[in-house]
Amino acid sequence: SHIVNTAWAMLALLKGSYHRSRNVAPGVAAQKLHRAARYLMQKQQPNGDWPQQHISGVFNRNCMITYANYRNIFPIWALGLYRRAVLLGEDINVETLHHRQPKLPC
């Protein structure tokens, strides 16, 4: 698993209220999110960064780009949302998140 992809998956599941879904057995969704959060926390380095794992973007089939800030922005964002939604039980929705999203660098 890759750090950025795990963070993206967590964000999607949290924003979709997967942890409150009636279509999933009670506790199963939360367990999956707990596991993803543990993975992100275990991969965090002592200096607070996450390691750069792979090329983040490819275009024209030969130009590769590494978005260095992705490895730090998305795990922090996912863990923060996880804390609010799962651990604290806050009701998060798209309207609330829209006003609190971090501004990403260009």
Side-chain angles (χ1 to χ4, degrees), residues 34-76:
H34 294 322
R35 193 169 86 191
R38 268 195 309 275
Y39 171 77
L40 292 179
M41 289 185 282
Q42 288 170 349
K43 293 295 182 180
Q44 191 173 22
Q45 298 174 336
N47 69 355
D49 282 348
W50 279 267
Q52 184 69 47
Q53 292 183 301
H54 61 89
I55 302 299
S56 298
V58 178
F59 63 95
N60 292 338
R61 298 184 194 180
N62 62 0
C63 296
M64 297 180 199
I65 300 173
T66 297
Y67 299 101
N69 287 328
Y70 274 28
R71 69 174 196 228
N72 293 316
I73 291 170
F74 288 106
I76 290 170

Side-chain angles (χ1 to χ4, degrees), residues 61-95:
R61 298 184 194 180
N62 62 0
C63 296
M64 297 180 199
I65 300 173
T66 297
Y67 299 101
N69 287 328
Y70 274 28
R71 69 174 196 228
N72 293 316
I73 291 170
F74 288 106
I76 290 170
W77 189 0
L79 289 170
L81 193 57
Y82 162 79
R83 178 182 178 270
R84 288 179 50 212
V86 178
L87 300 181
L88 299 178
E90 289 184 24
D91 184 22
I92 57 171
N93 57 47
V94 176
E95 292 79 26

Side-chain angles (χ1 to χ4, degrees), residues 17-38:
S17 297
Y18 177 70
H19 58 292
R20 294 179 186 229
S21 175
R22 292 188 178 133
N23 298 327
V24 181
V28 171
Q31 286 176 351
K32 291 179 181 185
L33 289 165
H34 294 322
R35 193 169 86 191
R38 268 195 309 275

